Amino acid sequence: MSRTTGRSRRAVATASVCLAGLITVTACSAPGASTTDDGTADAVATGDMTCGTEDVTLSAYVETGFPLAQELFDEFTVQHPNVTFDVREDQFAVITQNAPRVLADNPPDLMRLPQVSELAADGLLYDLDAAAEAFGWDEWPASQLEQMRVDEDGRRGSGPLYAMGLNFSMTGVFYNKELAAEIGMTAAPETLAELDDALAKAKAAGITPIAQFNGGATGGLAFPLQGLMASYGEPAEINAWTYQQPGASIDTETNVQAAEHLQRWVEAGYFAEDVNSLDYSMMMSRFIGGESLFIFNGDWESGNLDTQMAGNVGFFLVPPVEQGGEVGAMSAPLTYGISANAENPECAAYFLNWVATDETARTVSVEVGGSHPMGPADAFLPEVADDTVTAQTLAAGATIGEDDGSMEFIANATGAIYAKSWTPNLQKLVAGEIDAAGLLAAVQADYESEIGG
Amino acid sequence: MMQTRTTGTTGRREVSEQSSTSAEARRRALRARRLRRGWVALGLVVPAAVAYAAFVLRPLVLTVQYSFYDWNGVTESTWVGVENYRRLVDNPEMLGSIGNALELIVYFSFVPVLLGLLTAATIRKFATSRLALVSRTVLFLPQVIPLVAAGIMWTWLLASDGLVNELLRGIGLDALTRAWLGDTSTALPAVGVIGAWVALGLCMLLLLAGMAKIDPSLYEAARIDGAGAVREFFAITLPSVRQEIGVCVTVTVISALAAFDIVYISTQGGPANSTLVPGLEIYYLGFFSREVGQASALAVVFMALVLAVVLPIQRLTRESDR
């Protein structure tokens, strides 16, 4: 008996000594204190904005499943034989959650980025202002770069430039032409009422009107919702909100009207029955398989759809409430940034400029990426066959430019707003657990608690 | 122990001077051998102990430390005291995730243990036949499939045009068909079905092993006394495998509370947070919201909850052993 007690006492003593040791080893300093001091503060470009003539290996961290980056890397190596690429690929969700640590610990020269405001505010990104000046990016339409500028308070829209796009994409509605013909829809709807009419006819004909992803952690109903917001209200107001401008709110009168319109679509059964368990790839396979009339999606699928459904797919922007009204669309650069601690920031910046200005690169951007290249408004664009959906999305992009209707995706307002607020609340809307007004109020509350805290 | 031996040698020393040198030598040799054995033991334990300290204890201590800070994982942190814990109490979403985890215990633990008892008791009857071997293998199979693969497979089966709904349509139950994982009212039970399917094999095998140890004469005696199969089960089988049931319940309750992979693969916490569990919430807080302190606080509370649920189960089974 006494032996056991002695032994357990000894064990307790040893354990306490170990634990005390551990605590003294680990707990003497506050976490994260040392990581920012060693030069992650804004690094400013110096010297020559080229890749030089010596051998250079650019490390790149890109999104898997999208061949655009790799095609551009290959072409760049052809034109600049001294530059090779060391590429790491991951899914976008993985990149999103890894971004801060990768930029801090294992700094890549080029990295596909989620929204940049928090990363820039944390001093993890290379300041591209000097590059912008050297390459004349300042002379491009300002709206192209606006989303990637972050000021001292972490608000977007102004301040230094912290990222660059490989191209800029835009969302709208893709439709299956054969199914459209079945319900007598021969041209794209020009008003919301006409769109409502097409949806009702499809439903009556036994065709699934919209296959939209909204399952898991991806609230895809944000696509139609934001399209409707632009039809009812002003894109500038929505941008103010996503850029975290003081006093901005998503819970406005016109946005409530847009959300109510979406709620009517949900209640009328226009979305696939299992919309809350549909993921993005299931949506694409159903649309390509001819199982639904519409999907709300982006022009990054144009090239893919031209291959898979050649001649059978059309595109239009979410139409205005009244004929001839202004339109808006989610339009965001395919954002790439450079780590503040990158080895070859100037060469990486040179590559980004090359993507926007080289004719072959711009051709790759359109044909592989399906989206409009960055750069001056009058820059070279490759010939695209008229009957392709790529031609239609490029034309829609021009319309958005004329109407000044481009908006940043509402899901990018803060780092967690998409997964933790838009998604569950949009899923609640489908389940009938929340109404349009409740949806926007809930998202606004989460937004305020996040940027406040 | 040390003391007795010293007394012994001292006694011997008193008896004879001569033998004391040899005794001394023997003692020295013994001590040297013990020391050597001690060093060997230490050498064997140290690598494991270091790894344990580095990868289990250190993260544990760090998690507790982080829970008192407001930290985004990269820049400087701020000491906030118990603020992170206070915010847990205010947050209905986090409390909801704990509620979901408790509900999962029903599916991940009670269901497989009950079904495991049933199948094991049935298989025991024809234990030596080939059929028993086949059913054992089939039922144990889910255990060797990675949870992620099981999750993916079941999302196909439970999809609106998946096998489950096709079967329901086939037998005329069209009204019941639905997107099981996409409906806020059925998503959590649907995830539960996946967990139950995975856990059943382990429980069945453990219980079967327990039943194999039961003395057959007990059953004979019961039969002579006129007991039927049901009576046999409750009077003999069930009490004899109480210890195995304890192990099953402990393992499955922990897997229910710590569920992450199955939920992440099948629903990612959706729709509308109806399958959000603490493991997933900690992951979202840490990696998406970048609130490392808040995530750590939830992790600490959650660990306490797991201990609070599992320790009484351990105690109950230990008492039943006596």
Side-chain angles (χ1 to χ4, degrees):
Chain A
M1 189 67 189
S2 68
R3 213 189 303 159
T4 340
T5 327
R7 201 183 290 163
S8 63
R9 202 179 293 152
R10 213 175 308 141
V12 169
T14 323
S16 348
V17 169
C18 288
L19 203 64
L22 268 168
I23 290 171
T24 42
V25 166
T26 57
C28 48
S29 62
S34 63
T35 28
T36 45
D37 302 336
D38 53 356
T40 44
D42 302 7
V44 178
T46 50
D48 192 17
M49 286 285 168
T50 67
C51 291
T53 49
E54 313 242 315
D55 282 352
V56 182
T57 303
L58 285 182
S59 57
Y61 188 17
V62 306
E63 184 178 0
T64 197
F66 293 87
L68 176 64
Q70 188 60 55
E71 299 256 352
L72 288 169
F73 295 160
D74 292 346
E75 176 60 27
F76 190 77
T77 301
V78 170
Q79 293 187 23
H80 301 82
N82 65 321
V83 181
T84 47
F85 288 85
D86 175 20
V87 182
R88 170 182 171 193
E89 289 191 13
D90 263 318
Q91 289 188 353
F92 190 65
V94 178
I95 295 180
T96 306
Q97 73 202 31
N98 283 346
R101 288 256 59 105
V102 170
L103 288 168
D105 301 337
N106 192 12
D109 293 312
L110 281 166
M111 181 171 178
R112 170 83 174 101
L113 291 178
Q115 66 104 348
V116 296
S117 56
E118 286 161 17
L119 302 172
D122 291 349
L124 294 169
L125 293 174
Y126 179 79
D127 180 340
L128 280 162
D129 266 358
E133 206 187 328
F135 295 124
W137 297 346
D138 299 345
E139 286 149 34
W140 302 355
S143 62
Q144 278 188 28
L145 303 180
E146 196 178 82
Q147 297 180 12
M148 300 170 293
R149 293 189 181 278
V150 184
D151 70 11
E152 283 165 1
D153 302 323
R155 295 198 190 102
R156 286 187 296 160
S158 60
L161 182 69
Y162 282 106
M164 183 60 176
L166 287 196
N167 56 25
F168 57 95
S169 54
M170 178 203 56
T171 61
V173 192
F174 288 98
Y175 65 98
N176 181 316
K177 284 185 180 169
E178 278 172 22
L179 294 180
E182 275 180 39
I183 59 157
M185 179 184 135
T186 49
E190 286 178 12
T191 62
L192 268 186
E194 282 180 39
L195 178 57
D196 286 346
D197 183 49
L199 289 165
K201 279 184 183 156
K203 175 85 183 164
I207 299 166
T208 303
I210 312 166
Q212 192 68 19
F213 71 104
N214 202 45
T218 54
L221 286 196
F223 284 45
L225 176 61
Q226 191 167 355
L228 290 165
M229 283 178 175
S231 299
Y232 279 100
E234 285 299 319
E237 278 180 18
I238 297 162
N239 275 341
W241 187 76
T242 48
Y243 293 165
Q244 302 181 8
Q245 298 301 331
S249 175
I250 198 72
D251 190 9
T252 63
E253 200 182 315
T254 54
N255 288 344
V256 170
Q257 287 174 333
E260 281 168 350
H261 202 119
L262 180 72
Q263 193 184 345
R264 284 199 292 278
W265 284 356
V266 169
E267 283 163 1
Y270 293 159
F271 292 100
E273 246 174 65
D274 54 352
V275 54
N276 265 355
S277 64
L278 262 191
D279 64 22
Y280 184 87
S281 60
M282 280 156 80
M283 165 184 85
M284 287 310 292
S285 76
R286 284 197 198 173
F287 182 70
I288 291 168
E291 288 175 46
S292 89
L293 176 60
F294 296 120
I295 50 170
F296 289 76
N297 205 347
D299 56 5
W300 53 83
E301 291 290 355
S302 300
N304 179 28
L305 291 173
D306 273 329
T307 317
Q308 309 246 19
M309 307 175 66
N312 186 27
V313 57
F315 178 86
F316 59 90
L317 295 163
V318 178
V321 179
E322 281 168 21
Q323 189 139 20
E326 292 197 335
V327 287
M330 271 148 57
S331 171
L334 186 69
T335 325
Y336 273 72
I338 301 169
S339 168
N341 298 324
E343 265 184 54
N344 311 296
E346 275 115 1
C347 179
Y350 177 81
F351 168 80
L352 291 171
N353 183 59
W354 171 87
V355 170
T357 51
D358 182 80
E359 291 197 356
T360 319
R362 290 178 69 89
T363 308
V364 171
S365 276
V366 171
E367 287 175 357
V368 180
S371 302
H372 203 290
M374 305 287 287
D378 56 354
F380 163 86
L381 264 187
E383 291 282 323
V384 178
D386 283 344
D387 58 342
T388 58
V389 77
T390 304
Q392 294 179 52
T393 50
L394 288 175
T399 313
I400 289 296
E402 283 162 21
D403 287 4
D404 200 16
S406 89
M407 300 171 286
E408 161 67 316
F409 189 20
I410 47 175
N412 290 340
T414 76
I417 200 94
Y418 188 39
K420 295 310 294 161
S421 192
W422 280 118
T423 297
N425 283 308
L426 285 166
Q427 288 169 341
K428 279 183 193 167
L429 186 78
V430 171
E433 290 173 10
I434 200 172
D435 65 5
L439 167 88
L440 295 179
V443 171
Q444 180 64 21
D446 288 339
Y447 171 88
E448 281 167 17
S449 89
E450 204 180 330
I451 61 172
Chain B
M1 234 162 119
M2 222 24 187
Q3 239 161 11
T4 7
R5 206 170 291 151
T6 328
T7 329
T9 31
T10 332
R12 244 177 285 155
R13 197 180 288 163
E14 276 167 16
V15 176
S16 139
E17 268 296 309
Q18 215 177 10
S19 67
S20 80
T21 37
S22 66
E24 184 72 19
R26 223 176 26 238
R27 212 177 66 197
R28 229 178 273 149
L30 195 73
R31 200 192 295 154
R33 197 159 66 223
R34 219 185 302 143
L35 208 64
R36 227 177 11 251
R37 221 182 282 159
W39 280 116
V40 171
L42 202 65
L44 289 172
V45 167
V46 160
V50 168
Y52 187 76
F55 298 111
V56 179
L57 294 180
R58 186 172 178 272
L60 207 69
V61 174
L62 282 178
T63 306
V64 176
Q65 188 204 350
Y66 291 173
S67 68
F68 298 111
Y69 286 87
D70 178 19
W71 186 38
N72 66 8
V74 179
T75 54
E76 273 178 63
S77 52
T78 332
W79 172 268
V80 291
V82 293
E83 175 64 16
N84 286 329
Y85 291 93
R86 201 192 54 72
R87 280 173 62 191
L88 283 182
V89 186
D90 292 347
N91 193 328
E93 188 182 295
M94 288 179 215
L95 293 181
S97 75
I98 291 176
N100 287 341
L102 294 176
E103 190 178 331
L104 276 187
I105 292 180
V106 176
Y107 309 111
F108 278 46
S109 186
F110 292 170
V111 172
V113 170
L114 286 181
L115 286 180
L117 269 172
L118 219 70
T119 45
T122 316
I123 290 178
R124 186 190 63 81
K125 298 238 167 76
F126 47 88
T128 48
S129 72
R130 184 165 292 173
L131 182 64
L133 185 76
V134 172
S135 23
R136 244 187 357 235
T137 315
V138 168
L139 287 169
F140 191 69
L141 213 56
Q143 200 63 42
V144 298
I145 295 175
L147 286 180
V148 172
I152 293 174
M153 194 182 81
W154 275 94
T155 50
W156 292 339
L157 293 176
L158 294 168
S160 57
D161 49 1
L163 188 68
V164 172
N165 283 325
E166 291 300 325
L167 284 177
L168 286 174
R169 278 185 205 109
I171 54 172
L173 291 172
D174 296 53
L176 286 181
T177 61
R178 67 188 68 217
W180 298 96
L181 291 166
D183 194 313
T184 49
S185 56
T186 58
L188 194 61
V191 169
V193 166
I194 309 176
W197 179 80
V198 170
L200 174 61
L202 179 74
C203 290
M204 185 238 5
L205 211 69
L206 271 173
L207 295 169
L208 204 57
M211 288 176 194
K213 288 187 307 194
I214 304 173
D215 188 348
S217 61
L218 280 177
Y219 287 108
E220 270 165 43
R223 226 163 293 145
I224 291 166
D225 285 348
V230 177
R231 188 66 204 235
E232 255 178 31
F233 177 78
F234 283 106
I236 303 169
T237 316
L238 200 58
S240 311
V241 295
R242 206 183 286 171
Q243 202 182 337
E244 283 79 9
I245 293 177
V247 175
C248 282
V249 171
T250 310
V251 172
T252 50
V253 163
I254 292 177
S255 78
L257 291 175
F260 175 83
D261 16 29
I262 291 180
V263 184
Y264 182 74
I265 291 298
S266 55
T267 61
Q268 293 180 294
N273 291 340
S274 59
T275 59
L276 193 66
V277 289
L280 210 57
E281 180 74 15
I282 292 167
Y283 162 76
Y284 282 132
L285 279 171
F287 291 101
F288 283 88
S289 307
R290 296 174 62 200
E291 293 177 36
V292 178
Q294 186 72 70
S296 301
L298 180 58
V300 170
V301 168
F302 183 53
M303 189 180 74
L305 179 79
V306 171
L307 290 177
V309 173
V310 171
L311 287 182
I313 300 174
Q314 290 281 300
R315 174 145 292 204
L316 277 176
T317 42
R318 201 183 306 157
E319 272 167 9
S320 71
D321 288 349
R322 279 181 192 162

